[in-house]
Amino acid sequence: MDRLEKTLIYVAIALMAIFACLVLYAGVGLGISLPTSHEHSSPFTRGEIIAKENNEFEVYFVARMWAFDPPEVVLPEKAEVNIYLSALDVNHGFDVVGTNLNLMAVPGVVNMAHHRFDRSGEYPVICHEYCGLNHHKMLGMIRVVNSEEYLRWKEQLAGNVSMGEKISMERDCAACHSTDGTEDIAPTFKGLYGRTTKLTDGTEVIVDEEYLIESIQTPNKKIVAGYEPDMMPEDPLSDEELRQIIDYIKTLK
Ligand code: CUA
């Protein structure tokens, strides 16, 4: 055998050995794992952010035409996050700009990945799988802030929730919309956010922020099947009040 040929074979073997060692080191030494499908969890239909101890979080993302739920996630710096991802309708992509997080959202399957957000900043979430007309508008946002800002944000959210409850009492929302699941004059607020609702015209909508805002501002536009129109007064709320009442409704699971 030619000497050069021999050398090349040795170099190739050495390179393969180095690559194998690097893969082992990444997997065992650094604990880096590929995103996997999570066989033991059943698909979910609403997004959720669960704060655990030690700066650990579980974020449940639902992808659907054409939004991510939750649309915005706020996390403190150095948050260790387990991301669980499912889709409601068709395949979607899930790419977090500025990180190596890149998943597919597949209906009926839960895919998961782990990430540690070391630096504060804005991390847009984009769908990179063509999923229909408004694919290009399918955006989410992960905002990573320092710990003081995070505390401030949490306080503000808690404030919004209690203000939202107050508005609900003062503007008499609570007179028709129960919070315990009782459905009488109007749909209950309990479990409202994130659910799929049938309308009088037979179509189905997902109760997200957009739908809630529309239904508060123009109550007669979409009537939930089984209910009468002209029952809900058009009582204008400011943008801030809308935010507060939506944050409140979200807590009623
Ligand atoms: Cu969802 Cu493209």
Coordinates of all heavy atoms in Angstrom, one line a residue, residues 63-68 89-93 126-132 134-136 138, ligand 1:
A63 N -48.7 24.9 20.0 CA -48.6 25.6 18.7 C -49.9 25.3 17.9 O -50.4 24.2 18.0 CB -47.4 25.1 17.9
R64 N -50.4 26.4 17.3 CA -51.6 26.2 16.5 C -51.6 27.3 15.5 O -50.9 28.2 15.5 CB -52.9 26.2 17.4 CG -53.0 27.6 18.1 CD -54.3 27.6 18.8 NE -54.4 28.8 19.6 CZ -54.8 30.0 19.2 NH1 -55.1 30.2 17.9 NH2 -54.8 31.1 20.0
M65 N -52.5 27.1 14.5 CA -52.7 28.2 13.5 C -53.2 29.4 14.1 O -54.4 29.4 14.5 CB -53.6 27.7 12.4 CG -53.1 26.6 11.6 SD -54.5 26.1 10.6 CE -53.9 24.7 9.7
W66 N -52.6 30.5 14.2 CA -51.2 30.8 13.9 C -50.6 31.5 15.1 O -50.4 32.7 15.1 CB -51.1 31.6 12.6 CG -51.4 30.8 11.4 CD1 -50.6 29.9 10.8 CD2 -52.7 30.7 10.7 NE1 -51.3 29.3 9.7 CE2 -52.5 29.8 9.7 CE3 -53.9 31.4 10.9 CZ2 -53.5 29.5 8.8 CZ3 -54.9 31.1 10.0 CH2 -54.7 30.2 8.9
A67 N -50.5 30.8 16.2 CA -50.0 31.4 17.4 C -49.4 30.4 18.3 O -49.6 29.2 18.1 CB -51.1 32.1 18.1
F68 N -48.6 30.9 19.2 CA -48.1 30.0 20.3 C -48.8 30.4 21.6 O -49.1 31.6 21.8 CB -46.6 30.2 20.5 CG -45.7 29.7 19.4 CD1 -45.2 30.6 18.5 CD2 -45.5 28.3 19.2 CE1 -44.4 30.1 17.4 CE2 -44.8 27.9 18.1 CZ -44.2 28.8 17.2
D89 N -53.3 21.5 15.7 CA -53.9 21.2 14.4 C -52.9 20.5 13.4 O -53.1 19.4 13.0 CB -54.4 22.5 13.8 CG -53.6 23.7 14.2 OD1 -52.4 23.6 14.1 OD2 -54.2 24.8 14.5
V90 N -51.9 21.3 12.9 CA -51.0 20.7 11.9 C -49.6 20.8 12.5 O -49.4 21.3 13.6 CB -51.1 21.5 10.6 CG1 -52.5 21.3 10.0 CG2 -50.7 22.9 10.8
N91 N -48.6 20.3 11.7 CA -47.2 20.4 12.2 C -46.8 21.9 12.2 O -47.1 22.6 11.2 CB -46.3 19.6 11.2 CG -46.4 18.1 11.5 OD1 -47.2 17.7 12.3 ND2 -45.6 17.4 10.7
H92 N -46.1 22.3 13.2 CA -45.5 23.6 13.3 C -44.0 23.5 13.7 O -43.6 22.4 14.2 CB -46.2 24.5 14.3 CG -47.6 24.7 14.0 ND1 -48.0 25.8 13.2 CD2 -48.8 24.1 14.5 CE1 -49.4 25.8 13.2 NE2 -49.8 24.8 13.9
G93 N -43.3 24.5 13.5 CA -41.9 24.6 13.9 C -41.8 25.4 15.2 O -42.7 26.1 15.5
I126 N -40.1 31.5 16.6 CA -40.7 31.5 15.3 C -41.1 30.1 14.9 O -40.5 29.1 15.2 CB -39.9 32.2 14.3 CG1 -38.5 31.5 14.2 CG2 -39.7 33.7 14.5 CD1 -37.7 32.0 13.0
C127 N -42.2 30.1 14.1 CA -42.6 28.8 13.4 C -41.8 28.7 12.1 O -41.9 29.6 11.3 CB -44.1 28.8 13.2 SG -44.7 27.4 12.3
H128 N -41.0 27.7 12.0 CA -40.3 27.5 10.7 C -40.7 26.3 9.9 O -40.0 25.7 9.2 CB -38.8 27.4 11.0 CG -38.4 26.4 12.0 ND1 -38.8 25.1 11.8 CD2 -37.7 26.4 13.1 CE1 -38.4 24.3 12.8 NE2 -37.7 25.1 13.6
E129 N -42.0 26.0 10.1 CA -42.6 24.9 9.3 C -43.8 25.5 8.6 O -44.7 26.0 9.3 CB -43.0 23.8 10.2 CG -43.6 22.6 9.5 CD -42.5 21.7 8.9 OE1 -41.3 21.8 9.2 OE2 -42.9 20.9 8.0
Y130 N -43.9 25.5 7.3 CA -45.0 26.2 6.6 C -46.3 25.5 7.1 O -46.5 24.3 7.0 CB -44.9 26.1 5.1 CG -46.0 26.8 4.5 CD1 -46.1 28.2 4.6 CD2 -47.1 26.2 3.9 CE1 -47.2 28.9 4.0 CE2 -48.2 26.9 3.3 CZ -48.2 28.2 3.4 OH -49.3 28.9 2.9
C131 N -47.2 26.4 7.6 CA -48.4 25.8 8.3 C -49.7 26.6 7.8 O -50.7 26.5 8.5 CB -48.3 25.9 9.8 SG -48.0 27.5 10.4
G132 N -49.6 27.2 6.7 CA -50.8 27.8 6.2 C -50.7 29.3 6.0 O -49.6 29.9 6.1
N134 N -51.2 32.2 7.4 CA -50.5 33.2 8.3 C -49.3 32.6 9.0 O -49.0 33.1 10.1 CB -51.5 33.8 9.3 CG -52.5 34.7 8.6 OD1 -52.1 35.5 7.8 ND2 -53.8 34.6 9.0
H135 N -48.7 31.7 8.4 CA -47.5 31.1 8.9 C -46.5 32.1 9.3 O -45.9 32.0 10.4 CB -46.9 30.1 7.9 CG -45.5 29.8 8.0 ND1 -44.9 29.1 9.0 CD2 -44.4 30.2 7.3 CE1 -43.6 29.0 8.9 NE2 -43.3 29.7 7.8
H136 N -46.3 33.1 8.5 CA -45.3 34.1 8.7 C -45.6 35.0 9.9 O -44.8 35.8 10.4 CB -45.1 35.0 7.5 CG -46.3 35.7 7.1 ND1 -47.4 35.1 6.5 CD2 -46.6 37.0 7.2 CE1 -48.3 36.0 6.3 NE2 -47.9 37.2 6.7
M138 N -46.8 33.8 12.8 CA -46.8 32.9 13.9 C -45.6 33.2 14.8 O -44.5 32.6 14.5 CB -46.9 31.4 13.5 CG -47.2 30.5 14.6 SD -47.8 28.9 14.0 CE -47.5 28.0 15.5
Ligands
CUA1 CU1 -47.0 27.4 12.4 CU2 -45.8 27.9 10.4

